[in-house]
Amino acid sequence: MIKASPSRFSRIALRNAAVVLAIATLPAFAQNAVGQQQTAESPTEAEIRQFCTGIADAARDQRYLLQKQELEKLQADVDSRIAILEERRAEYEDWLGRRNEFMKQAEGQLVEIYKKMAPDAAAPQLEQTNVILAAAIIMKLPPRQSSLILTEMSADKAAQVASIMSSAGDPTTSKDPS
């Protein structure tokens, strides 16, 4: 065993005491250092605020520009869709006009055909057609012939046709006869 001399012992004790003292006073130094850091950061925070305030208008302008570009793109898309819809509407109106003209001609000729048919031959054919079309044709026939055709039709179909014909003359009903 090595014997420690009293001077060496006092040096070790003194060094240990210094370490303990340093550890004990460390929190106080740390708070001072943090306080110094905060004062050092305060100007930095002020600079950051000044910088952010300085670029706020430019950032807002950039955001508005991006929104404006997006809106312009959406407007162009809407305009192109409207143009397509206008084209289709024009095509539909043209088709509808041609169809209505054909229906007028066909209706006139169809009424003439049924006018010349015997009621017992016309009734089964009208039973097989659309109820609204059958009602329209029967309404345009002379009343005597219409009554004979309705007599030859089945009771259910004749009732539907008569219902549509009666509602067509009533101004308080809607245009949809069904």
Side-chain angles (χ1 to χ4, degrees):
M1 232 183 168
I2 303 175
K3 284 191 169 182
S5 66
S7 66
R8 185 170 177 197
F9 180 72
S10 63
R11 275 189 276 160
I12 293 173
L14 191 58
R15 186 176 47 168
N16 287 345
V19 169
V20 169
L21 182 62
I23 291 173
T25 58
L26 187 61
F29 288 119
Q31 285 179 352
N32 278 343
V34 169
Q36 289 172 355
Q37 247 182 352
Q38 286 176 350
T39 57
E41 284 182 8
S42 293
T44 307
E45 287 177 16
E47 290 173 358
I48 291 171
R49 282 192 194 118
Q50 183 180 6
F51 175 76
C52 290
T53 305
I55 66 163
D57 291 337
R60 186 180 314 113
D61 291 345
Q62 185 66 27
R63 188 174 60 245
Y64 289 156
L65 181 64
L66 290 173
Q67 289 173 347
K68 181 183 174 190
Q69 289 172 347
E70 181 68 23
L71 287 173
E72 287 172 349
K73 188 168 71 171
L74 290 173
Q75 183 65 43
D77 185 43
V78 167
D79 290 342
S80 70
R81 289 182 183 199
I82 287 173
I84 291 170
L85 287 175
E86 288 295 324
E87 269 181 41
R88 289 183 182 166
R89 186 179 63 86
E91 289 173 8
Y92 176 75
E93 286 177 352
D94 180 51
W95 175 84
L96 186 62
R98 287 185 284 134
R99 179 188 174 275
N100 287 340
E101 185 63 33
F102 171 77
M103 291 302 289
K104 284 180 187 177
Q105 290 174 357
E107 186 179 295
Q109 292 172 355
L110 196 58
V111 170
E112 287 300 315
I113 291 170
Y114 280 103
K115 207 182 262 189
K116 294 178 182 176
M117 288 178 75
D120 59 338
Q125 290 181 8
L126 287 172
E127 281 184 3
Q128 298 301 316
T129 63
N130 182 330
V131 179
I132 297 171
L133 179 62
I137 291 170
I138 292 173
M139 282 182 66
K140 292 192 179 200
L141 294 174
R144 178 166 168 72
Q145 191 173 12
S146 295
S147 65
L148 290 173
I149 291 174
L150 286 172
T151 303
E152 293 292 326
M153 293 176 88
S154 69
D156 289 340
K157 196 69 157 188
Q160 288 177 344
V161 169
S163 173
I164 291 171
M165 290 169 57
S166 67
S167 67
D170 186 6
T172 60
T173 59
S174 67
K175 294 188 181 203
D176 184 12
S178 53

